[in-house]
Amino acid sequence: MPSRSLPEDFQWGVATSAYQIEGAAFQGGRGPSIWDTFSHTPGKVVDGHTGDVACDHYHRLEEDLDLLVALGVNAYRFSVAWPRVMPDGRFPLNPKGLDFYDRMLDGLCARGIRSQLTLYHWDLPQSLHEARGWGHRDTLQHFTDYAQVIARRLGDRVDSIATINEPWVVATLGYERGIFAPGLTDRRLAMQVSHHLLMAHGLAVQALRALVPRVKLGIVLNLAPTYAARASAADRAKAQLEDGLLVRWYMDPLFRGCYPQDVLEHLGADAPSVKPEELKLIREPTDFLGVNYYTRNFVHAEDPNLKPPGKLGFTDMGWEVYPQGLTHLLLRLAHDYSPPPFYITENGAAFVDRLEGDSVHDLKRVHYLEQHIAAMNAARDQGVDVRGYFAWSFLDNFEWASGYLKRFGLVHVDFESQRRVLKDSALWYRNFIAAQQPWRPEAAGI
Ligand code: IFM
């Protein structure tokens, strides 16, 4: 693995999100979020699992921060739970909630680990949802207030702040397909929500820039290249549209100031209402673009369920292992958009793991990580500016509608006892990161 070309401050990290690990859902003054409501609604999450306890990270903060040290990472990506800080999504604040993140930042600083904080990883306060949530422009102002609260309290210690995680997932899975919270099936609303999320991003960036000019600001998108199964015109047209909905719908307004015309035509009456000044807001300059990459899209005009070839296999999510897609994606984004530097803010795989005593021999995950880091480096070698890589995920956790059945962690969690065990992938990642550190005479005792 080439290491010489890596900048010294390259971030090697792991990532999590609040609802997936914190637990303590009804403790410390936290208010309910749409994911509490959704997961407590029968039939929405597999086996009725909820994030009530999750990894109990809220009560095990110090132990988990020590585990980050054991992993040897120099950066940690996590999200703040909006309803823990503002139980109703608006003022007043919940001091205990802020104290928790304050302790987290102190703990990370004390351990020499840089922090990438995400403001919104899907846990919209329930009371804002009841006031029409992301469908209503008032929520954008509440989000900006929340961003300012975080900046004032934590901005002295964070390295970077991402506004929104994966707006495509929020809008499409939450408001159009109804398989994630809040479980709605309204395409018109979903597209308006996607526009509002991008506006919320722009507003928050403006507010944060004024308060914490030192902190790097950006957004995190789930992106993938889309390939046509056959060279036919029909498959190509489908691939073009899928790419438009997933990639260009977000990248174009963020970096070109417009929505893609072909997608607007496809949406027809479901296209959002957009004002020119809103497009300007969305294009507010940022310092980084977070890319979450797991697999590619493979489309066939007549058979939506056609599986890709899967030469390197599939993960437990049924997602094809396709590392070269990450290289293609990064090269294409750099070429088409000239965005700010990238971070790979999520990349990882769920596999069926077996705990054997104090070990989990998750060789497939080791291969997955190795192949994707190599794919990222292949893009870097061709000039793409990538500043960090974050494995998803630090711990096995609540995998949304799949509950606890899908394990993405580098660290195994027994959800009964809350015992943590470093999987072989964690040990591999630790050794890999150590090998990337530049050789220093003083470290070698010379
Ligand atoms: O667990 C999720 C995460 O919350 C967002 N990105 C994809 C991951 C795996 O599905």
Side-chain angles (χ1 to χ4, degrees):
M1 197 78 59
S3 60
R4 209 170 290 163
S5 62
L6 285 168
E8 267 196 45
D9 57 355
F10 193 86
Q11 296 191 3
W12 292 107
V14 285
T16 61
S17 87
Y19 190 69
Q20 294 180 272
I21 65 165
E22 281 181 8
F26 309 104
Q27 292 175 31
R30 179 184 176 279
S33 83
I34 54 173
W35 267 97
D36 295 292
T37 310
F38 190 76
S39 64
H40 280 268
T41 307
K44 298 296 185 193
V45 175
V46 77
D47 291 347
H49 292 174
T50 72
D52 290 4
V53 178
C55 306
D56 198 30
H57 174 68
Y58 183 78
H59 294 116
R60 293 163 199 268
L61 179 62
E62 293 296 323
E63 177 195 339
D64 287 342
L65 295 180
D66 286 343
L67 270 178
L68 290 175
V69 176
L71 271 170
V73 295
N74 62 15
Y76 177 49
R77 174 173 181 250
F78 65 96
S79 78
V80 171
W82 186 353
R84 196 177 285 294
V85 169
M86 298 169 112
D88 284 331
R90 318 164 173 94
F91 292 104
L93 301 174
N94 171 36
K96 274 193 180 169
L98 273 170
D99 288 349
F100 172 69
Y101 298 108
D102 205 56
R103 290 202 304 278
M104 169 126 64
L105 265 297
D106 280 351
L108 289 167
C109 287
R111 290 165 177 85
I113 297 172
R114 276 174 293 177
S115 47
Q116 289 225 2
L117 182 155
T118 301
L119 288 169
Y120 186 73
H121 199 123
W122 310 351
D123 39 7
L124 183 70
Q126 178 66 25
S127 71
L128 286 187
H129 174 66
E130 282 158 19
R132 292 192 28 224
W134 288 118
H136 198 284
R137 281 176 155 74
D138 280 359
T139 300
L140 314 189
Q141 188 51 52
H142 297 310
F143 180 70
T144 312
D145 292 344
Y146 157 60
Q148 288 175 318
V149 165
I150 295 303
R152 289 204 172 93
R153 181 69 181 266
L154 309 173
D156 56 336
R157 282 154 292 162
V158 290
D159 192 67
S160 68
I161 298 182
T163 52
I164 310 278
N165 182 70
E166 301 185 351
W168 180 90
V169 172
V170 176
T172 309
L173 303 191
Y175 290 81
E176 182 180 344
R177 300 190 192 161
I179 56 174
F180 277 15
L184 303 179
T185 49
D186 179 339
R187 187 170 76 159
R188 165 95 188 86
L189 175 62
M191 298 321 291
Q192 194 63 48
V193 162
S194 70
H195 178 57
H196 286 166
L197 288 166
L198 291 174
M199 284 175 65
H201 157 76
L203 284 166
V205 168
Q206 287 181 341
L208 292 170
R209 190 71 81 201
L211 283 175
V212 283
R214 181 198 60 82
V215 175
K216 295 195 282 282
L217 305 174
I219 189 168
V220 172
L221 304 180
N222 56 303
L223 299 174
T226 300
Y227 301 88
R230 302 163 301 181
S232 69
D235 283 14
R236 284 206 189 137
K238 178 122 194 265
Q240 173 73 5
L241 177 62
E242 295 283 314
D243 177 74
L245 287 162
L246 178 69
V247 177
R248 290 179 289 119
W249 186 256
Y250 295 91
M251 290 297 291
D252 282 14
L254 285 166
F255 300 106
R256 288 184 177 162
C258 58
Y259 282 104
Q261 196 53 38
D262 60 329
V263 182
L264 287 170
E265 280 162 23
H266 164 78
L267 292 171
D270 288 343
S273 79
V274 176
K275 299 194 185 103
E277 63 271 22
E278 295 169 352
L279 287 170
K280 190 158 175 276
L281 172 69
I282 292 170
R283 206 185 179 180
E284 187 68 27
T286 50
D287 306 303
F288 70 89
L289 172 63
V291 171
N292 294 351
Y293 177 81
Y294 289 89
T295 187
R296 66 164 162 171
N297 284 337
F298 187 76
V299 299
H300 186 285
E302 291 93 46
D303 181 358
N305 299 320
L306 182 81
K307 278 195 141 202
K311 284 198 189 125
L312 296 176
F314 294 86
T315 71
D316 194 30
M317 298 295 281
W319 299 345
E320 184 191 20
V321 178
Y322 197 76
Q324 59 271 50
L326 178 57
T327 314
H328 298 167
L329 175 71
L330 291 172
L331 289 170
R332 179 261 178 119
L333 296 176
H335 176 269
D336 287 1
Y337 296 96
S338 305
F342 292 102
Y343 287 95
I344 307 304
T345 32
E346 287 182 27
N347 173 242
F351 287 112
V352 179
D353 294 324
R354 248 204 1 257
L355 180 65
E356 298 170 62
D358 282 338
S359 306
V360 177
H361 302 302
D362 58 336
L363 200 58
K364 284 187 183 169
R365 188 171 291 103
V366 172
H367 286 152
Y368 182 99
L369 297 175
E370 227 169 3
Q371 288 162 334
H372 285 79
I373 290 171
M376 169 187 77
N377 281 335
R380 294 188 69 255
D381 289 344
Q382 293 173 70
V384 179
D385 187 357
V386 187
R387 304 273 173 100
Y389 172 91
F390 291 77
W392 184 271
S393 179
F394 172 30
L395 305 167
D396 288 336
N397 59 46
F398 176 78
E399 178 50 27
W400 308 111
S402 307
Y404 297 99
L405 299 190
K406 304 293 178 197
R407 292 177 176 270
F408 276 89
L410 270 59
V411 176
H412 184 276
V413 177
D414 175 331
F415 293 106
E416 290 295 313
S417 65
Q418 292 294 344
R419 189 168 81 104
R420 276 85 159 125
V421 167
L422 298 192
K423 300 181 191 176
D424 285 359
S425 56
L427 305 176
W428 173 83
Y429 196 42
R430 179 183 69 191
N431 293 339
F432 171 81
I433 294 170
Q436 308 308 302
Q437 306 305 319
W439 186 82
R440 285 208 182 82
E442 60 276 18
I446 296 169

